Amino acid sequence: MLFLVDGMLGNVAKKLLLLGYDTEYFSGMSDSDLIKKAKQEDRTIISKDRQLIANARKSDVVAIQITKDNEIEQFFEILDTVDLELNEISGDTARCTRCNSQTTRIAKSKISNRVPPKVFEFNEDFWECDKCKQVYWEGSHVKKLQDFLDKIRARV
Ligand SMILES: [Zn+2]
C-alpha cells in the first residue's frame, strides 16, 4: 500500500513511514497533477482538502479525507478506508522520514562521528537511509509512536 500525503499532515506521513509504508508528501501541486501521480503510482491520497478528495474519487483514485485534528482520530479516519498493519515499530521496516527510502542496519562502529555522543552511548542498533544516508536509531520518537499505536490497538 502506497500513500501520497498532504504536506499539512506531516505527522500522519511520518507515522506511516515509521510503520514501513511507502509515503510521499506533496505541497503546492495542482489537484490534477496530484491525481495523475496517485493514479500512475497507485497511491492512496490523504488530505484535508475536500475538493481534492472529491476530484480524486471521480478519477477512481482512493482518497481519504481527514476531518479531525486529533492524531488518534485522524488515524481512525485512515483505518476506516484501509487496513494498516499496526505492527511493532522496528528500525528494520521503518522508512526514512526525510526521503521515503528504505533503511539498512549499519554497524555502530561506522557511525560514531555521525550521531550525538549521548545517542552513541545509549543505543546499540542503528540504521542508515539507503539514499540520503540519514542515520536512525530507536530513540524516543519510536517509543512515542509505540505508545500511540498501543492507544489505537486498545480501541480497535
Ligand atoms: Zn533518506
Side-chain angles (χ1 to χ4, degrees):
M1 207 177 327
L2 287 70
F3 295 99
L4 191 53
V5 179
D6 198 318
M8 304 280 279
L9 295 168
N11 279 335
V12 169
K14 202 172 170 192
K15 287 184 177 66
L16 292 171
L17 284 162
L18 290 173
L19 280 166
Y21 288 102
D22 184 320
T23 304
E24 291 193 5
Y25 293 80
F26 63 80
S27 63
M29 270 171 90
S30 72
D31 283 11
S32 57
D33 283 349
L34 272 170
I35 291 164
K36 203 167 135 195
K37 181 178 168 68
K39 219 173 174 129
Q40 274 170 354
E41 300 175 10
D42 200 17
R43 290 183 185 274
T44 296
I45 291 178
I46 300 178
S47 174
K48 282 190 166 183
D49 183 339
R50 184 188 300 266
Q51 191 58 51
L52 167 63
I53 299 291
N55 289 338
R57 286 177 182 158
K58 264 184 236 154
S59 306
D60 291 324
V61 168
V62 180
I64 301 171
Q65 189 186 359
I66 300 295
T67 62
K68 305 279 174 39
D69 290 320
N70 175 285
E71 286 188 21
I72 290 181
E73 301 293 337
Q74 290 177 343
F75 240 71
F76 275 103
E77 291 188 301
I78 297 171
L79 289 168
D80 278 345
T81 303
V82 294
D83 269 326
L84 295 177
E85 292 213 35
L86 305 174
N87 299 322
E88 298 290 304
I89 305 298
S90 157
D92 290 326
T93 50
R95 298 177 79 93
C96 177
T97 54
R98 278 170 54 175
C99 77
N100 185 32
S101 296
Q102 286 179 309
T103 61
T104 305
R105 209 171 258 274
I106 186 168
K108 185 172 178 175
S109 58
K110 288 190 181 161
I111 49 92
S112 59
N113 54 357
R114 293 170 59 191
V115 297
K118 282 242 186 282
V119 167
F120 188 76
E121 189 180 344
F122 293 112
N123 289 276
E124 292 306 317
D125 300 315
F126 294 91
W127 290 263
E128 181 186 55
C129 172
D130 294 349
K131 201 166 151 196
C132 77
K133 305 298 172 194
Q134 172 81 2
V135 174
Y136 290 92
W137 57 94
E138 289 184 343
S140 59
H141 60 292
V142 169
K143 173 80 176 70
K144 264 187 220 151
L145 181 56
Q146 200 63 65
D147 293 345
F148 178 82
L149 292 178
D150 288 345
K151 277 183 207 149
I152 287 182
R153 280 199 209 94
R155 281 176 47 180
V156 170

